[in-house]
Structures are given as C-alpha cells and as structure tokens.
C-alpha cells in the first residue's frame, strides 16, 4: 500500500476542483494520504492543487474529461508515474441537469448518464488491475439520495441508481481480491452545485431535511474515511446515506 510518496497511500478524488470533491481531497491530504485530483475544470483544479501544496500536501493534479476513455487512461498513467499505483479511489465527479421528463432531451439524458456513471465505470477500470495485483484497494462511489427518485430528475436519479448497482456488482466481483467497493448517497450538501438552484427551491429543500441543516463536504468525508480505512475489509457493496435523515422522509420536491 505504499506509493512512490512516503504516505498512507495514494488516494485519487475525481471532481476535486470544487464542492464535495475539494472538501474530500483536502481532508485526505490533511490525514497524510498522497492525493491526486482529477477534474475537467483546469483553472479551478490548478487553484485547488496550489492551495493543498501550500499547506504541505503531496499532490498530483490532472485535468481530464472523465467521460472520455482516452483522457481517463492518460490521467491515471500520469498519476501512477508521479505517485505510484492508486490504493484509494473516490469517484465523486458528477453533474445534474434537472428537467421535467417530457421536456428532457436525449442530450440531457446522455450528458448526465456519462458524467455520473460512465465516468465511474472508466475510473474503476483504470485502477482495478493494480489493486488486484497488489491485493488491496478501496473504492468509494458517490451516488445520491436522489437515486430513490426525484421530480425532474429521471436522468440523474437513473444514473445514481446505476452507481449503486455498479457498486454492488464490483463489490461481488472483487471481494476475494482485497478490494472493497462501497457507495455514499449524500442528501443536500452545501456546494456550488446546490447554489445553482433557484433561491425558492433552495429554501424549500432545506425545510425538508429532518436534522434541519444543510450537509457539508466534511459530513461526506466522515463516511469516506470509514470506507477507505484498511481495517474496513469486511464491509463491501454497501450504500451509506449521508443526508440528515432525508432518505427516511417521503416524496421530495
Ligand atoms: N451537492 C449535493 O447536494 C449533492 C447531493 C448528492 C450527491 N451529490 C454528488 O456529489 C458529487 C459532487 O457534487 P458537488 O455538489 O460537489 O458538485 P459540483 O458541481 O460542485 O462539483 C463537481 C465537480 O465534478 C467535475 N466534473 C463534472 N463532470 C466531470 C467530467 N466529465 N470530468 C471531470 N470532472 C467533472 C466538475 O468540474 C466539478 O468540479 C456529484 O457526484 C454529485 O452528484 C451532490
């Protein structure tokens, strides 16, 4: 479990330029992991990597569109060359483009399925050969509470549901190889993505959270820590809600 850096291991976080991903990668860096950030937003990625480096972290950052296989292959080759094989992968990159079903275009469907699901498929393919060879790996796939279903979210909900199924299938396939694969289903987390919603909708959504507060990237981070722990070797194929109890309530807006 040691990469070229002397650290707790090499951890890749996708979609690490902002929001939950940035929170996760900062948390992992502060815990002594060598971290690799991947994001398609070059400018924000450079800012994020710079911030981490200035705090003394061992950082590799690669700009890549994770829906394209060539770009994923190149990104992971760069990371391996710079830091060593990947021990920990957090598949966090994702996007949301809500639309009532009858107005939803094929392009909106494909974009969301690619950003949330295909990206995870490609990243898992990139890291699993080394994990199997080294008989160790931890993969955490970020799904969403919205996989339960959401108004105007047929594309996003379908993609995040498929993330749960992908997680379960990979968990079975790689269980005997020392690799665990788990998912986290966050509820409403205060990030740039949430802030793109109309203010009325933001207020309405906040009122629907049983614990009466928005989640933070660190709330998700706590669950990531748990699944990445090398001691968590008997826990695989699970989906953990981090949603302030919102998965317990009935239909959401
Ligand atoms: N914020 C929430 O309330 C919430 C709730 C449930 C689940 N999630 C999930 O958590 C994850 C992070 O969400 P967030 O709120 O931080 O989102 P965000 O939009 O703030 O950040 C997502 C990051 O992923 C990157 N990204 C998107 N598509 C990419 C691609 N094809 N290639 C490379 N990078 C790509 C973006 O550039 C961005 O930096 C997503 O998977 C999202 O679906 C978020």
């Amino acid at each position: 479990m040691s990469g070229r850096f002397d650290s707790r291991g090499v951890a890749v976080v996708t979609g690490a330029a902002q929001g939950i991903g940035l929170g996760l990668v900062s948390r992992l860096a502060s815990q002594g992991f060598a971290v690799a950030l991947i994001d398609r937003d070059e400018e924000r990625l450079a800012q994020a990597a710079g911030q981490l480096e200035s705090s003394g972290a061992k950082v590799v950052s690669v700009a890549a569109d994770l829906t394209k296989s060539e770009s994923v292959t190149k990104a992971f080759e760069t990371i391996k060359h710079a830091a060593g094989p990947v021990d920990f992968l957090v598949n966090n990159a994702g996007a949301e483009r809500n639309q009532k079903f009858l107005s939803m275009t094929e392009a909106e469907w494909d974009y969301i399925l690619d950003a949330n699901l295909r990206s995870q498929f490609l990243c898992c393919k990139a890291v699993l050969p080394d994990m199997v060879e080294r008989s160790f790996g931890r993969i955490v796939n970020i799904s969403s509470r919205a996989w339960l279903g959401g108004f105007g979210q047929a594309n996003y909900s379908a993609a995040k549901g498929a993330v749960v199924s992908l997680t379960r299938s990979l968990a079975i396939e790689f269980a005997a190889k020392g690799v665990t694969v788990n998912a986290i289903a966050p509820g409403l987390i205060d990030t740039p993505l949430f802030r793109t919603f109309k203010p009325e909708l933001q207020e309405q959504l906040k009122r629907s959270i049983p614990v009466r507060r928005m989640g933070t990237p660190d709330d998700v981070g706590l669950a990531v820590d748990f699944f990445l722990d090398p001691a968590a070797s008997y826990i695989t194929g699970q989906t953990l809600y981090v949603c302030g109890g919102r998965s317990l309530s009935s239909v959401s807006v």
Side-chain angles (χ1 to χ4, degrees):
M1 215 205 312
S2 61
R4 235 158 259 160
F5 289 143
D6 180 20
S7 68
R8 287 182 64 187
V10 176
V12 174
V13 178
T14 70
Q18 66 173 34
I20 295 174
L22 178 57
L24 296 180
V25 82
S26 310
R27 188 179 171 98
L28 294 174
S30 73
Q31 292 171 359
F33 291 88
V35 293
L37 297 73
I38 310 180
D39 205 290
R40 66 179 171 192
D41 185 331
E42 282 189 47
E43 207 173 306
R44 284 214 181 89
L45 182 68
Q47 273 172 19
Q51 268 171 30
L52 290 176
E53 266 160 358
S54 64
S55 69
K58 292 157 183 152
V59 178
V60 183
S61 69
V62 192
D65 179 350
L66 296 170
T67 65
K68 307 263 186 304
S69 60
E70 324 78 66
S71 141
V72 173
T73 305
K74 259 200 211 156
F76 280 91
E77 277 171 7
T78 305
I79 291 166
K80 188 172 174 180
H81 182 72
V86 174
D87 306 293
F88 307 92
L89 168 66
V90 184
N91 272 318
N92 164 78
E96 203 169 323
R97 199 164 279 181
N98 296 345
Q99 184 61 267
K100 286 185 188 164
F101 186 67
L102 293 180
S103 307
M104 189 175 285
T105 62
E106 281 184 54
E108 283 165 338
W109 175 267
D110 289 344
Y111 177 78
I112 291 305
L113 268 287
D114 285 356
N116 292 286
L117 180 61
R118 183 178 164 78
S119 61
Q120 297 201 0
F121 162 71
L122 292 174
C123 292
C124 287
K125 277 215 158 218
V127 298
L128 276 163
D130 278 341
M131 289 182 172
V132 168
E133 195 184 313
R134 291 147 48 88
S135 303
F136 178 84
R138 295 280 177 273
I139 297 178
V140 175
N141 295 327
I142 303 297
S143 173
S144 169
R145 177 209 163 276
W147 86 275
L148 295 171
F151 187 93
Q153 292 192 308
N155 51 359
Y156 185 70
S157 180
K160 293 302 195 183
V163 163
V164 170
S165 304
L166 172 73
T167 300
R168 294 169 61 100
S169 296
L170 293 185
I172 292 168
E173 205 166 322
F174 293 93
K177 311 284 184 193
V179 179
T180 66
V181 188
N182 291 287
I184 294 173
L188 295 165
I189 310 295
D190 193 7
T191 68
L193 187 150
F194 180 76
R195 281 173 240 135
T196 62
F197 299 166
K198 290 187 185 132
E200 317 84 81
L201 179 59
Q202 289 191 26
E203 283 313 308
Q204 199 181 349
L205 287 168
K206 279 185 201 170
R207 282 196 298 273
S208 70
I209 306 169
V211 303
R212 293 288 184 261
R213 70 164 174 89
M214 289 290 293
T216 66
D218 265 338
D219 288 317
V220 180
L222 199 61
V224 169
D225 291 351
F226 175 65
F227 285 135
L228 293 193
D229 193 327
S233 57
Y234 208 57
I235 301 164
T236 194
Q238 303 306 304
T239 298
L240 181 60
Y241 288 98
V242 178
C243 67
R246 207 158 169 266
S247 63
L248 307 171
S249 40
S250 53
V251 180
S252 68
V253 281

